[in-house]
Amino acid sequence: MKKILLILIISVIDKSFSQNRLNGIVLNYETKEPIEYVDIYNKNNFTSTNSEGRFSFTSQSDSIKIRLIGYEPINTTFNKINNDTILLKSKFEELDEIVLSNTNPIIKIYKSVASNYPSEPYSETFFLRCYIRKNGKLLKIQDLNGIVNRKTLFGTSEKPMPKKNYMANIKNVRKAGIYEEDVYFKMYNLKQIFDEIGGVGLNIKEYDFNENVSKDKNFVKYSFLPKSESKSKNEGHYLINKNNNAFTEFHLKQKDTTSSYTENRGIKYRTTSYEKSIFFKENTNWNKYFIHKAKINAETEVIDKNGVKNIYNVSYSFIVLEQNKIEINKKQSIKKDIFKFKKPFSSEFWKNQEYLLLTKEMNDFLGTMKGSNNEFKTTTNIEE
C-alpha cells in the first residue's frame, strides 16, 4: 500500500546583495526523514537536496519551483515561502497495487525507448559526488565537475551500445581521504558509473509486476519482484509517463548475503547489497528524455589477512547540469579509479556551486583532517 508523502520545508531567507537566498531542509512529514534529490529551481537557477534533505538556493528571480517526480509540483516565491510549511503530496492513491497478469505494458515501454530517448551523440556537463564509509565512518569523499560525450544513451536490439560509448573531461576535483596501507578500496571508474546509471533493462520473464496509477492518470508505477522460481534477487519499480510510455524513474535494489567471497592476495571480499535510483527529465528543446540525476549505493564485506571483517559502504551521486553539443578536445581515462584523478583545485568554482551541499557528517569529517578547510583540498594527511 502506497502512502501519501507530505514534505515539510523549513527555511531561512537572506535577501542581501539583491539576491534571494533560501536555506532549508526537506523532510517527510509522516516519518520526519530527509528527502533527497528534490529539485528547487526557477528559469535561472537550480539546486537539489542532499542526503540530509538540505539545500541552499540563490537567485535574483523571486520565483521558486519545488519538484519531485511522482508528486504534485509547487510553484511559489521566496516571499511566500518565508517560514511557511509546504506540503508536497504524492500523485498516487493509498490503494493496493494491481497485480499484472501479463507483461505487455512493460514490453510496450521497452519498444518506446527509441522514440523517447536520444540515440544520436550528445554531451552533458555533470556534477559527481563519491564517498566511502568504513564501519559507518567516513573514509573518503570526492566531488568532480566535468563533461561527457555520449554516442547514445541506451543500446537497443536494432542499435547496440557502442564499445567506446563515452569520452570524458574532468574540469574540477576536490577530495579528501584517510590512507589505508593494508586495504585499498578501489572506487568505480567513470565508465562503470556511466554504464550503471544507463542500465535500466530487465529480463521481464523473471519478474512479477504490480501496477499503481496516479490520481491524475498521467503516471503509472510498475513495481517488480522476482518470481518465486527466479534466481534474480532484484526488486524495484519504474515510474512511467502514460502519455508517451517514457520511464521517468528507475529504482533497483539487490540484497544478497549468500554470495561467496572473492579472494585476492589474502584479502577476501563480497558485495552484500546494491541499490541504484535513476531520474529522467525531458529536454523540451530536443523533445527527448535524458538522465537528470542518479545515485548508486553499495555495501561490501572485506576480510583482511588477519581475519578481521570490515564493512565498506560506497555512494555515487550524479547530477546532470545541462545537455549540449560541446566537443571534448582533451579527454581522460574513463577506466581509471576516479579518486586518483589529479586536477587543479578551483576554489572559485566550488564556492559558487550549490548543486549538492556538504552534509554535517562530511563537514565534521573534513574538520578533523589536518590541513583541510571547508572547501577541502588534498593536502597533508589527505590521500593524493
Side-chain angles (χ1 to χ4, degrees), residues 269-315:
Y269 57 93
R270 64 177 181 175
T271 299
T272 55
S273 67
Y274 175 86
E275 186 173 1
K276 66 180 177 181
S277 298
I278 307 156
F279 302 83
F280 299 87
K281 185 177 180 180
E282 185 178 16
N283 185 321
T284 54
N285 293 327
W286 295 6
N287 197 30
K288 297 287 184 180
Y289 284 83
F290 295 82
I291 292 173
H292 179 40
K293 295 174 289 191
K295 186 165 187 177
I296 302 170
N297 291 323
E299 181 178 280
T300 302
E301 286 183 358
V302 178
I303 300 178
D304 65 19
K305 297 177 182 179
N306 299 318
V308 177
K309 181 189 290 186
N310 293 295
I311 305 297
Y312 289 83
N313 296 92
V314 61
S315 180

Side-chain angles (χ1 to χ4, degrees), residues 131-169:
Y131 59 87
I132 298 175
R133 290 189 181 92
K134 179 182 179 182
N135 299 327
K137 295 184 178 180
L138 275 176
L139 184 69
K140 295 179 182 179
I141 177 174
Q142 179 176 18
D143 287 349
L144 300 95
N145 164 246
I147 183 168
V148 56
N149 289 161
R150 296 178 185 266
K151 292 181 180 178
T152 186
L153 179 54
F154 298 127
T156 63
S157 56
E158 294 78 16
K159 192 173 182 179
M161 185 74 75
K163 290 184 178 180
K164 295 182 178 181
N165 191 42
Y166 319 108
M167 288 176 55
N169 183 18

